[in-house]
Amino acid sequence: MTPLTMIEGKAYPFGRKNVDTDVIIPAHWLKTITRAGLGRGAFETVRAEPGNVFDDPDYAGAPILIAGDNFGCGSSREHAAWALKDMGVTAVIAPSFSDIFSGNAFKNGIATVVLPQEAIDRLLEVARTEPVTVDLETQTVTTPFQDRFVFPMDPFRRDCLMKGQDEIGLTMGLGAEIGRYEATMARDRPWL
């Protein structure tokens, strides 16, 4: 994964509540054997609406998505995180997330930032014309208007995102220590 320390730029001012994983990526897109191209199917039903934010050229390639409460609810499809990542989204800001979606996002290098609704409302307003910055190091979301919102984040997830490591990467980084342990076990307990 690519290390995430600071995500800055345009943000999709989406704001809808209870967006489930079927809205993020419809089921008929799940037949693929690759993650590449899933961004084309992201928010397909929303994109069918005239004037939707996802087809607005002003937001094309935005790295941040500002969403409503309970984002990522529904089924546990990891394809939702894959589709967002393929769109270029590396941070989603919302009042709350489905636990499964939040876990899938983390494992795919997407920061899920929880802020109160008042902060979301302000960010939705600002994102229409100005960039937004998510700083994982200081755990803040800021705007050019001196707005500064502090967010909590699980320290383990934050550290992994900042180092660009998932759980597999962390385990692989301990290869030498694991090898020494296994050699010791083989020597001291050969019956195992």
Side-chain angles (χ1 to χ4, degrees):
M1 289 190 324
T2 304
L4 286 180
T5 305
M6 190 171 296
I7 305 108
E8 51 191 334
K10 293 295 275 180
Y12 293 103
F14 186 45
R16 288 195 193 170
K17 296 180 180 183
N18 301 312
V19 173
D20 65 27
T21 53
D22 195 50
V23 171
I24 299 169
I25 186 74
H28 65 270
W29 284 87
L30 307 184
K31 298 172 187 162
T32 181
I33 57 170
T34 179
R35 297 176 190 193
L38 286 176
R40 289 190 321 269
F43 300 102
E44 184 176 71
T45 56
V46 175
R47 285 182 160 153
E49 301 168 5
N52 74 81
V53 70
F54 297 107
D55 287 333
D56 186 330
D58 287 344
Y59 303 105
I64 302 167
L65 171 68
I66 303 168
D69 199 31
N70 199 26
F71 187 81
C73 58
S75 68
S76 61
R77 64 181 67 154
E78 190 172 13
H79 293 72
W82 296 350
L84 288 171
K85 191 74 171 185
D86 195 53
M87 284 177 61
V89 172
T90 53
V92 180
I93 306 169
S96 67
F97 295 91
S98 154
D99 286 342
I100 293 172
F101 172 81
S102 186
N104 285 338
F106 158 67
K107 290 175 184 179
N108 286 281
I110 300 172
T112 52
V113 175
V114 175
L115 288 174
Q117 187 62 51
E118 301 79 39
I120 297 297
D121 293 341
R122 174 64 178 154
L123 291 171
L124 287 169
E125 178 186 329
V126 170
R128 294 190 197 298
T129 59
E130 301 298 328
V132 173
T133 301
V134 177
D135 187 335
L136 293 183
E137 190 170 346
T138 62
Q139 292 179 227
T140 58
V141 176
T142 57
T143 73
F145 300 110
Q146 305 307 311
D147 297 297
R148 185 175 191 276
F149 305 106
V150 177
F151 62 87
M153 183 173 270
D154 175 83
F156 173 75
R157 286 186 176 181
R158 177 178 165 262
D159 188 55
C160 286
L161 287 168
M162 289 178 67
K163 290 179 179 173
Q165 289 189 314
D166 59 8
E167 288 115 335
I168 294 170
L170 281 173
T171 302
M172 297 299 286
L174 297 172
E177 291 174 51
I178 292 169
R180 284 192 296 277
Y181 173 81
E182 290 296 327
T184 300
M185 289 301 289
R187 184 191 69 231
D188 295 349
R189 297 179 181 187
W191 60 90
L192 295 178

